[in-house]
Amino acid sequence: MRAASSLLLLAALPAVLAVKTEDFKTCSQAAFCRRGRALAERASQNPNWKSPYTVDASSVAISADQASFTAAVKSSLYPEIKFGLDVKVHDDGVVRVRMDEIDGLRKRYDEAASWALIAEPKTSRNIQWTVGEEDVKASIDSNLKIEVVVAFEPLKVVLYREGKEQVVLNGLGLLHMEHFRSKDEPQPVEDTTGDAQIVMQSPNPRAWFEGETQDGYWEETWKSWTDSKPKGPESLSLDISFPNHGHVYGIPQHATRLSLPTTSGENAYYSEPYRLWNSDVFEYLADSTMSLYGSIPVMYAHSADSTVGIFNAIASDTFIDIAHPDSKSSFTHWVSESGILDIFILPGPTPTDIFKQYSALIGTPALPAHWALAYHQCRWNYVSSDDVRGVQKRFDEEDIPVDVFWLDIEYSEEHKYFMWDKKTFPDPVEMTNDVAANARKMVVIVDPHLKRVQSYPVYKEATELDVLSKTKDGREYEGWCWSGSSAWVDFFNPKSWDWWKTLFKTVQPESDKFAWTDSTNDVYIWNDMNEPSIFNGPEISMPRDNIHYGGWEHRDVHNINGMLFSNQTWQALRTRTDPARRPFVLTRSFYAGSQRFGAMWTGDNLGTWEHMAVGIKMVLANNLAGFSFSGSDVGGFFGNPDPEMLTRWYQVGVFSPFFRAHAHIDTKRREPYLLAEPYKSIVKDVIRFRYNLLPVWYTAFREASTTGLPVVRPHFVVFPKDEAGFAIDDQFFVGSSGLLVKPVTEKGATQATVYLPGDQPWYDYFSSYIFGATPTGRTVTVAAELHQLPLFIRGGSIIATKERFRRSSPLMKFDPYTLRIALDHDHSAKGELYIDDGETFSHEKGEFVWRALKAEKQGRTIKLSSQDLASSNLSGAVDGVALTNYNGANPFASTIGSVRVEEILVLGLESKPVRVSAAEDLEWDYYPGVAASTKTDGTASMLFIKNPVPSIAKDWEISIHL
């Protein structure tokens, strides 16, 4: 959904609007950021700059188990203020650095990590801290020569690898934790040099560091809003340097390149720092540092030598400057409005290590329901029950598969969510059952704003429970959104959690409390506007001095707010049925940890080529930050894309983890069946192709759910030593499948330029044309007419697909598989296939099938085989569950025991086989062509093996005799 700057938009939304940048603060309009940037400027102008923060060496105390140490930190600016430092090394080598004010006038917000982390990390018992005269240090990994050193004067934390600086905290001396203070008037100084007494301001001895003025310390007015700032200044500034890494990635959500462009230093690409402040930005720019709907404060730095990273557990408004002093190094400066210093240093040294370390902190993406990976059809709004039925009918008449139909806000009476408008949706249960009759689902929107009328049971119950957000004076906060006068549930309040779950029950409980009995278990949820978006609030959100549970101000917790809403909705859907079904919740606002509770999309994009292109980069950035289940709305939310653009956008969407078409209420209808030919047929084939590849997507999501590796991966993740790929963000890989896709995002394109990395051959997925192996990567130009999608298989990969057309993905359950084997230059290949019921949590009990697919050359024979993977990977088969055993004949495996492999295609054989056999000879056809081993280009040889495998769930072996 979309923001609006006034209630006029409730009545009439213009068809074309542009982003109103004036609705959102820049750094120069936020006092804490002004102070932070001014601090950095003073430091850059002073060659003798030195941080005022030092460690009191006499206070260093190492824990009895050697797992951590604490120390007192002093600031020469304020010797009377006490700070505490706490440094720990986790079992996996992650270094956690915390610093907080001790015995201050107030308490700084210190709970951000507790919302993001899945558990308190275990500290290492293998660390030996050594305290010297100038520092304290510890070896983290002697084999990799990774060491952490904490220097005393000034305070500086450095992670080394092989003697090289990897991550440096406060290396440039920009650390500044503004302590809590009283609002004192400056004391006058008496001038007695003359007869008259003259009162002068005392000189400020701290001006060299803090500046001459108390800029916005105690109150801040912006436009018509005044922030009372009752706690005074409390910002946190910190420089984080990566001296030997020339690329940095992460800190979504921003519409920008994957390798983050500079915001400071010579020839900076942007003038504004990147901002993390969850915001409802209407028609956002396609190239900007503006903060959008979600914030994940994680950053990775990469070079050909290593990958490192940091997770900054901060929830307040944060601005981040990035500079590259040279092509091999990166400097960042983080300025946050409030919170403690709580940094997790991720030592790597490989991308795989980084994702494992990061996901050990915040968790992996939830394994979604299988149907959720199929095609979703949405619009603001399908206007009635009959409209929904009519759309479904047209999809079926045109033989276009679809799994989910969506309803936006107009389904609800006066935008009172859960309450159907019975004039247009008189039969919601029957409507949903009609959709479910084709094994499809509905997704219905539930926004966080509650209409403030006592006749609305959800608002009434929230009021009675006293779980609504409060103003600075402790009164119920009233703002304006789609519902008009609205209130917001404070999901930081534990009393709201169980109550929220009861709302989604589809059967009336014994109590008289509201339950959504006009719903079914085939209805899933879309959480929008949860930044929170408030039309008449500052920056279209909640006042910063509002109060949440625990007494925390909204400024402290803003970026976490949206995650708690989707978290509790996810929990509500999980507890809705017994046994539980996997929830599906789409959220617009998010934070680190949101990936555990569903999917996200990139918000209110425009139907432009620029937004199509940047959406790919944004999805890749979210995948790096742990939120793999992500996508951009196909076609753009705003505008009326022409048929060429819409067709290309479907080609982008089919390779997004979350695949949904959506459109604004003022746009023309653009369901795929409305397109003229040839566009309709092309789009139909594209959507069907997504269904062909669902085994690939589901297997990739299983891997993500257990390892934290992204579902879609940029080049530096897959080929971390290939510098030619470090900045590539317009082509990417799907999981570990070996698929590489280069979507076309330029109008009128008939060709595409693709970079093929590594030293293996690459095969065009559709034509089987082989690009021979080279010692290093190569760039090729391929045909990319409107009906052509540049898609490649890396030599050495095995792709499992389902080629039968069905109306929805659950109807494909018992369809046979096809295996596409792309041989490498050694005539080998491997792949994986993961299958479970796709709906329940029975996989956590070991009810699934997980197969290793292989091709191996043994003399003049190539052996194709399938073997069980679960038995030898009990601890890594299912996220969060360590299986004690695995039974290949488990109940689910038995249900698909008759699902066969109907065809195997082997690409790149060096010669025609003389025989292909399993238990008996198999039927096959061979077409000569280029072999994978020849390292030349041309159409690859193709071997088609027909009906080779009776059961996908069991071991099998096939021999190709050459």
Side-chain angles (χ1 to χ4, degrees):
M1 294 288 295
R2 31 273 124 229
S5 60
S6 76
L7 285 177
L8 293 176
L9 291 180
L10 290 173
L13 284 168
V16 178
L17 295 177
V19 61
K20 295 184 177 180
T21 54
E22 67 273 14
D23 284 345
F24 304 93
K25 290 183 179 180
T26 62
C27 179
S28 65
Q29 294 169 324
F32 78 92
C33 187
R34 285 198 304 270
R35 299 195 298 269
R37 258 196 164 183
L39 171 65
E41 179 62 23
R42 288 190 292 273
S44 69
Q45 299 298 320
N46 185 349
N48 299 315
W49 185 270
K50 181 180 179 182
S51 172
Y53 292 88
T54 59
V55 175
D56 180 354
S58 66
S59 71
V60 174
I62 298 174
S63 62
D65 58 7
Q66 288 282 322
S68 63
F69 82 86
T70 59
V73 174
K74 293 288 188 180
S75 168
S76 62
L77 302 176
Y78 298 95
E80 73 281 7
I81 302 300
K82 295 184 291 183
F83 300 94
L85 181 70
D86 183 355
V87 181
K88 298 178 180 177
V89 179
H90 300 168
D91 274 347
D92 56 2
V94 171
V95 181
R96 185 177 189 178
V97 181
R98 284 166 55 97
M99 182 174 138
D100 195 1
E101 186 177 349
I102 306 298
D103 299 330
L105 292 177
R106 300 174 186 86
K107 182 176 172 59
R108 301 180 75 93
Y109 184 68
D110 61 356
E111 298 179 1
S114 66
W115 293 110
L117 303 186
I118 53 174
E120 188 64 25
K122 294 182 179 179
T123 52
S124 174
R125 296 297 184 267
N126 300 315
I127 297 297
Q128 186 74 37
W129 291 98
T130 302
V131 181
E133 293 183 0
E134 298 180 346
D135 55 37
V136 56
K137 63 182 66 175
S139 174
I140 295 175
D141 189 319
S142 58
N143 294 325
L144 296 175
K145 298 180 181 179
I146 298 177
E147 180 183 46
V148 61
V149 177
V150 181
F152 293 157
E153 187 174 356
L155 168 60
K156 183 171 72 171
V157 181
V158 185
L159 182 80
Y160 290 95
R161 178 171 174 264
E162 296 182 342
K164 286 185 177 182
E165 292 181 329
Q166 303 291 295
V167 183
V168 182
L169 308 185
N170 199 36
L172 300 179
L174 303 185
L175 169 64
H176 189 31
M177 181 175 282
E178 294 179 332
H179 66 279
F180 289 120
R181 64 200 76 190
S182 300
K183 187 177 182 181
D184 296 326
E185 296 297 328
Q187 296 298 311
V189 175
E190 188 175 307
D191 183 357
T192 59
T193 59
D195 294 335
Q197 186 182 58
I198 301 174
V199 177
M200 301 185 303
Q201 297 290 340
S202 60
N204 182 359
R206 309 178 185 99
W208 69 272
F209 191 81
E210 291 188 315
E212 292 286 354
T213 62
Q214 295 186 355
D215 180 10
Y217 274 23
W218 299 102
E219 186 176 88
E220 189 171 359
T221 298
W222 181 71
K223 292 192 170 184
S224 62
W225 295 279
T226 296
D227 180 0
S228 63
K229 293 192 174 180
K231 296 184 293 182
E234 53 175 320
S235 73
L236 174 65
S237 164
L238 178 67
D239 61 276
I240 305 174
S241 300
F242 307 97
N244 292 288
H245 298 81
H247 293 265
V248 290
Y249 313 89
I251 57 170
Q253 188 182 36
H254 300 96
T256 187
R257 301 200 298 262
L258 187 69
S259 179
L260 295 169
T262 56
T263 64
S264 64
E266 188 175 355
N267 299 318
Y269 183 79
Y270 297 118
S271 59
E272 276 292 308
Y274 296 92
R275 190 183 185 194
L276 297 178
W277 176 257
N278 294 356
S279 302
D280 184 356
V281 182
F282 189 78
E283 292 195 331
Y284 57 85
L285 299 171
D287 185 6
S288 173
T289 59
M290 286 183 70
S291 188
L292 297 178
Y293 311 95
S295 299
I296 302 181
V298 66
M299 179 177 283
Y300 307 114
H302 183 73
S303 71
D305 293 330
S306 68
T307 311
V308 293
I310 63 99
F311 171 55
N312 185 1
I314 201 85
S316 64
D317 196 0
T318 298
F319 287 86
I320 306 159
D321 269 315
I322 296 175
H324 295 301
D326 55 60
S327 63
K328 300 295 184 181
S329 63
S330 303
F331 154 80
T332 71
H333 180 205
W334 301 59
V335 184
S336 301
E337 186 175 17
S338 68
I340 67 168
L341 189 156
D342 196 355
I343 301 285
F344 298 80
I345 302 175
L346 313 175
T350 69
T352 299
D353 294 327
I354 283 287
F355 296 122
K356 182 177 181 181
Q357 292 155 6
Y358 178 53
S359 62
L361 295 173
I362 67 158
T364 58
L367 180 63
H370 186 275
W371 57 263
L373 303 183
Y375 176 58
H376 298 245
Q377 182 64 48
C378 184
R379 179 176 178 81
W380 180 28
N381 206 90
Y382 291 117
V383 299
S384 67
S385 300
D386 288 342
D387 193 5
V388 172
R389 292 183 175 100
V391 171
Q392 173 168 252
K393 183 173 183 289
R394 288 297 306 276
F395 268 92
D396 290 342
E397 289 174 346
E398 299 287 349
D399 291 333
I400 302 174
V402 60
D403 268 57
V404 194
F405 296 111
W406 290 56
L407 290 178
D408 213 316
I409 60 175
E410 309 306 333
Y411 83 90
S412 58
E413 180 186 57
E414 298 178 333
H415 301 147
K416 293 180 291 189
Y417 306 106
F418 302 97
M419 316 303 290
W420 295 89
D421 186 338
K422 290 303 180 73
K423 295 189 294 294
T424 50
F425 292 90
D427 55 349
V429 170
E430 291 79 4
M431 173 195 68
T432 303
N433 289 340
D434 287 345
V435 169
N438 290 307
R440 294 178 176 131
K441 304 292 188 286
M442 295 287 300
V443 170
V444 175
I445 199 165
V446 175
D447 283 350
H449 45 271
L450 306 181
K451 189 174 184 67
R452 297 177 70 248
V453 292
Q454 287 298 313
S455 60
Y456 180 25
V458 179
Y459 171 73
K460 184 174 182 291
E461 291 178 12
T463 303
E464 293 168 348
L465 268 178
D466 191 25
V467 292
L468 295 172
S469 295
K470 302 293 193 292
T471 66
K472 63 182 180 181
D473 303 318
R475 295 176 289 107
E476 177 184 307
Y477 173 68
E478 177 189 8
W480 289 79
C481 205
W482 298 116
S483 302
S485 175
S486 303
W488 280 259
V489 176
D490 181 5
F491 284 102
F492 291 91
N493 189 333
K495 287 197 303 181
S496 69
W497 301 345
D498 287 340
W499 165 72
W500 190 251
K501 293 175 186 176
T502 65
L503 302 180
F504 292 86
K505 297 291 186 181
T506 58
V507 177
Q508 183 64 45
E510 294 181 2
S511 70
D512 60 353
K513 298 297 184 182
F514 174 82
W516 204 8
T517 56
D518 272 350
S519 179
T520 82
N521 294 330
D522 289 311
V523 172
Y524 294 82
I525 304 301
W526 174 13
N527 284 160
D528 196 0
M529 311 294 283
N530 50 329
E531 292 76 25
S533 176
I534 300 172
F535 294 163
N536 64 333
E539 299 193 89
I540 315 179
S541 196
M542 191 170 282
R544 294 174 188 239
D545 51 8
N546 270 18
I547 301 299
H548 290 275
Y549 179 81
W552 299 114
E553 289 186 300
H554 185 72
R555 81 181 76 250
D556 300 319
V557 301
H558 175 85
N559 287 341
I560 300 174
N561 183 84
M563 176 174 74
L564 298 194
F565 182 46
S566 57
N567 176 347
Q568 293 308 315
T569 302
W570 191 92
Q571 302 292 348
L573 296 189
R574 176 159 186 165
T575 59
R576 181 172 63 176
T577 60
D578 186 12
R581 297 184 187 180
R582 284 179 233 173
F584 174 83
V585 177
L586 180 74
T587 183
R588 188 172 70 176
S589 183
F590 54 88
Y591 184 69
S594 289
Q595 76 286 342
R596 305 193 298 266
F597 311 113
M600 61 75 61
W601 89 109
T602 62
D604 299 346
N605 57 350
L606 281 72
T608 68
W609 292 96
E610 293 80 10
H611 273 257
M612 185 196 306
V614 81
I616 296 171
K617 308 171 199 304
M618 295 169 73
V619 168
L620 287 173
N622 266 84
N623 270 254
L624 293 182
F627 211 154
S628 282
F629 202 2
S630 55
S632 293
D633 282 337
V634 169
F637 179 63
F638 295 103
N640 294 298
D642 62 43
E644 179 193 358
M645 183 191 299
L646 188 57
T647 300
R648 289 299 194 191
W649 215 315
Y650 270 98
Q651 294 172 350
V652 171
V654 77
F655 279 97
S656 296
F658 175 56
F659 180 26
R660 180 182 80 157
H662 186 34
H664 188 275
I665 195 170
D666 289 333
T667 63
K668 298 176 182 177
R669 287 282 180 115
R670 52 167 118 117
E671 288 74 18
Y673 52 74
L674 295 175
L675 286 166
E677 294 293 358
Y679 308 103
K680 180 168 68 174
S681 293
I682 296 172
V683 170
K684 178 166 70 174
D685 289 345
V686 166
I687 295 174
R688 285 184 170 190
F689 187 55
R690 171 65 169 220
Y691 282 73
N692 297 154
L693 290 180
L694 283 176
V696 173
W697 286 104
Y698 200 59
T699 299
F701 267 93
R702 187 220 67 86
E703 184 181 24
S705 74
T706 57
T707 67
L709 282 165
V711 168
V712 289
R713 303 171 187 173
H715 276 252
F716 87 89
V717 173
V718 182
F719 294 92
K721 294 188 178 300
D722 183 1
E723 296 190 24
F726 292 174
I728 291 178
D729 55 13
D730 58 356
Q731 57 183 65
F732 54 88
F733 303 85
V734 179
S736 297
S737 66
L739 290 178
L740 169 65
V741 63
K742 171 68 179 283
V744 177
T745 59
E746 295 180 3
K747 182 176 178 61
T750 58
Q751 293 182 322
T753 300
V754 186
Y755 178 66
L756 302 176
D759 59 353
Q760 292 291 352
W762 290 88
Y763 300 79
D764 184 291
Y765 186 94
F766 301 104
S767 69
S768 299
Y769 190 92
I770 187 172
F771 297 90
T774 58
T776 58
R778 61 187 292 201
T779 299
V780 299
T781 299
V782 298
E785 299 284 351
L786 187 58
H787 66 284
Q788 294 174 309
L789 174 63
L791 178 64
F792 307 88
I793 314 173
R794 189 186 185 205
S797 306
I798 300 178
I799 309 295
T801 63
K802 287 195 170 189
E803 301 294 328
R804 305 282 179 91
F805 163 71
R806 303 292 180 185
R807 292 182 174 185
S808 64
S809 65
L811 302 178
M812 302 169 68
K813 179 178 179 179
F814 299 109
D815 286 347
Y817 286 85
T818 293
L819 301 182
R820 187 179 261 95
I821 300 175
L823 296 176
D824 66 13
H825 52 55
D826 294 323
H827 284 87
S828 63
K830 62 181 180 179
E832 291 184 15
L833 176 63
Y834 175 80
I835 323 166
D836 61 27
D837 72 10
E839 187 172 13
T840 73
F841 290 89
S842 62
H843 62 294
E844 295 180 351
K845 302 175 183 177
E847 296 184 19
F848 59 84
V849 170
W850 184 23
R851 310 298 299 179
L853 308 172
K854 293 182 180 180
E856 298 175 287
K857 187 173 184 182
Q858 301 175 3
R860 293 294 297 167
T861 300
I862 294 178
K863 296 283 187 180
L864 312 182
S865 65
S866 172
Q867 297 176 325
D868 168 55
L869 269 172
S871 297
S872 58
N873 294 275
L874 293 175
S875 62
V878 180
D879 175 40
V881 177
L883 300 174
T884 57
N885 59 74
Y886 174 77
N887 179 5
N890 63 75
F892 170 74
S894 298
T895 66
I896 63 166
S898 61
V899 175
R900 61 192 174 89
V901 176
E902 66 177 346
E903 185 174 73
I904 296 176
L905 167 60
V906 183
L907 299 171
L909 285 173
E910 61 186 359
S911 63
K912 181 179 180 179
V914 296
R915 181 185 173 206
V916 179
S917 64
E920 55 188 32
D921 284 358
L922 298 171
E923 184 179 353
W924 53 276
D925 290 313
Y926 178 79
Y927 299 88
V930 175
S933 57
T934 62
K935 301 183 180 181
T936 58
D937 297 352
T939 301
S941 66
M942 293 177 278
L943 170 68
F944 292 90
I945 308 173
K946 302 177 181 179
N947 295 311
V949 177
S951 177
I952 192 68
K954 297 178 181 178
D955 290 358
W956 51 264
E957 186 175 283
I958 294 171
S959 297
I960 302 173
H961 306 277
L962 300 176

